[in-house]
Amino acid sequence: MASGVAGRGLLGATRHLWTLVGIIGVGWAVGAGSGTGDLSGSSLYLFFTTLLLAVGLYGSTSEISLREARQDLRLLLLAVTVGVVAKAALIALVLWLVLDDPAYLVLAVAVAQIDPLSVAALRDSSRLSPRGRTVLSVWASFDDPVTVLLTAYTAPFALRALNDSAGTSGTSSTDGIAGAVGDDLLDYAAQLGWNAVLVAVAAALWLLLRRTRGKDPARWSPATQAVAVLLLLALVVTAGGYTLMLGVAVVGLFFRPPTLTRHLGRISRGAYVTAAFTLGLLLVAGVDLVYGLVLGAAAYGAQIVVGSVLARKLDRVDRVSLALGQQNGVTAVILALSLQPMFPEAVAIVAPAIVTVNCLHFAANSLWGRLQPDPDDPRPAPDRPPLPSARPVQPDLSAGPGTVPLWKDLDGAADPYWKEPAAGPVPLDPAGDDGPPRSALAHLLRNVPVVDAVALDAVGETD
């Protein structure tokens, strides 16, 4: 078994899983003891859970390195668009075979995303490279709003199918995300427009702060940073109240007050704990264990298929880790809450599916970690070929009158400093034209090609 980083990653994943199960158990106990019943019809409860989703989206996108994300922009765009639709289609196919009810195929969309809070909680213990972590963070952040919108688009059609199968002509309540977005194409376009308005307002406020208080947010005064945090809080609350998930995810890419970003990890973990507690409250109404297991297994299998295809150009570790990266959490909880008024079995099926997905994530990544070598273990250096022996230095001696060394070109073209010796032995110069007699060493160095006139003069001066 690998140790070091792998051990810490396995320990972190174990602690994460048991913490999730424990908090869900506490939520169930509180719900059963207090008799809260079904809270999905409460508008305040729905707003609270949607606000948790907004916090999770902002926390995930605010930690993304835009410079690194540009390297895989095409992959990320495919992941949050084609990838989400492909995963939902694969999960829906499995549910079609098991449930045999087209109305509940909308549940496939509810678990097709990767939960950003779960990704943030396990990011440090992951074997992913910095590039792979960026891809997973962006993927988990931006497939949430796409999934929310896709759920809102498909829910009205699924509701009509449910009413047709039940033989009723009326429509059920449209509370929740589907009701907030609407069941008309004009309402969908309006919802996207309000997301754009939220982003535009946030960008204008951020530019105003930078122009009036300095371009470097780290040098802002505490009062200015407090104002920035309050403005951001207002934006997040607005996004939660009006279900502007796509907008708050984009805001996290640029609106980053340093005072808040330093504590963002704790805020994200707190939101994750709160979401797990709310999931426990949902279990009081009962669970559909068989269908939940099928939905969870289908969601994890769909991520393996789609993730392997989309990440095929990444290195092996990142490719496998992304394929095994499916997790569900607060987003699936919120979507289950939103769908509960229209689909009475939504919570009972989605709740155990969330636990199933996280258990499969733990088991698969633990096995993958065991199969990998420990990066902390020292590895022997590869054998290197012996260095070539030094070339012997050829003596710079003339073989006789009118000859040149054999290792030189006959015309001396290879060395511009080469001077062909005279027809006989070069006599010593007892007294040069402009100075004292040169030494014997200077005379011997005269024919050395790497020595020029400056070197000869220096030797003459030292002697």
Side-chain angles (χ1 to χ4, degrees), residues 330-413:
V330 61
T331 308
V333 172
I334 294 172
L335 294 178
L337 280 172
S338 175
L339 296 172
Q340 180 70 13
M342 295 179 290
F343 306 97
E345 297 296 325
V347 170
I349 297 176
V350 173
I354 295 172
V355 180
T356 300
V357 167
N358 285 280
C359 289
L360 290 175
H361 177 273
F362 165 73
N365 283 273
S366 298
L367 179 61
W368 168 243
R370 290 172 181 268
L371 297 176
Q372 298 305 303
D374 186 0
D376 285 348
D377 291 341
R379 290 175 171 80
D383 296 333
R384 297 181 178 179
L387 296 176
S389 57
R391 298 179 62 181
V393 179
Q394 301 293 337
D396 188 14
L397 299 176
S398 299
T403 61
V404 295
L406 297 177
W407 56 282
K408 282 290 181 182
D409 293 338
L410 293 179
D411 56 357

Side-chain angles (χ1 to χ4, degrees), residues 127-412:
R127 284 185 171 271
L128 287 166
S129 67
R131 179 187 181 186
R133 294 180 186 181
T134 299
V135 171
L136 182 59
S137 296
V138 176
W139 189 342
S141 300
F142 282 96
D143 70 349
D144 272 3
V146 173
T147 303
V148 171
L149 294 176
L150 187 61
T151 303
Y153 299 159
T154 56
F157 300 101
L159 180 60
R160 295 188 184 98
L162 181 62
N163 291 330
D164 292 341
S165 62
T168 60
S169 58
T171 59
S172 302
S173 172
T174 56
D175 294 337
I177 292 178
V181 176
D183 57 357
D184 188 83
L185 292 178
L186 293 178
D187 293 335
Y188 300 158
Q191 186 74 5
L192 292 175
W194 284 116
N195 278 279
V197 170
L198 179 71
V199 174
V201 171
L205 293 174
W206 186 250
L207 290 176
L208 180 62
L209 288 173
R210 294 189 63 183
R211 287 187 177 182
T212 57
R213 300 301 179 182
K215 293 185 178 181
D216 187 4
R219 297 184 178 181
W220 288 352
S221 64
T224 303
Q225 297 205 30
V227 170
V229 172
L230 291 176
L231 291 175
L232 176 62
L233 180 61
L235 293 170
V236 172
V237 171
T238 302
Y242 293 94
T243 325
L244 305 178
M245 298 296 102
L246 181 60
V248 74
V250 176
V251 168
L253 294 176
F254 61 88
F255 204 111
R256 302 176 177 180
T259 301
L260 182 65
T261 54
R262 286 195 294 266
H263 304 284
L264 203 55
R266 298 177 182 177
I267 296 174
S268 297
R269 287 191 293 270
Y272 182 77
V273 170
T274 306
F277 180 80
T278 59
L279 178 61
L281 293 177
L282 295 177
L283 294 179
V284 176
V287 296
D288 195 328
L289 188 58
V290 175
Y291 288 161
L293 291 174
V294 173
L295 178 60
Y300 201 82
Q303 173 65 24
I304 293 177
V305 175
V306 176
S308 300
V309 174
L310 293 178
R312 63 187 183 278
K313 294 184 179 180
L314 300 181
D315 62 72
R316 177 172 174 267
V317 173
D318 285 349
R319 184 171 64 254
V320 176
S321 298
L322 287 173
L324 302 179
Q326 177 69 26
Q327 299 178 75
N328 285 134
V330 61
T331 308
V333 172
I334 294 172
L335 294 178
L337 280 172
S338 175
L339 296 172
Q340 180 70 13
M342 295 179 290
F343 306 97
E345 297 296 325
V347 170
I349 297 176
V350 173
I354 295 172
V355 180
T356 300
V357 167
N358 285 280
C359 289
L360 290 175
H361 177 273
F362 165 73
N365 283 273
S366 298
L367 179 61
W368 168 243
R370 290 172 181 268
L371 297 176
Q372 298 305 303
D374 186 0
D376 285 348
D377 291 341
R379 290 175 171 80
D383 296 333
R384 297 181 178 179
L387 296 176
S389 57
R391 298 179 62 181
V393 179
Q394 301 293 337
D396 188 14
L397 299 176
S398 299
T403 61
V404 295
L406 297 177
W407 56 282
K408 282 290 181 182
D409 293 338
L410 293 179
D411 56 357

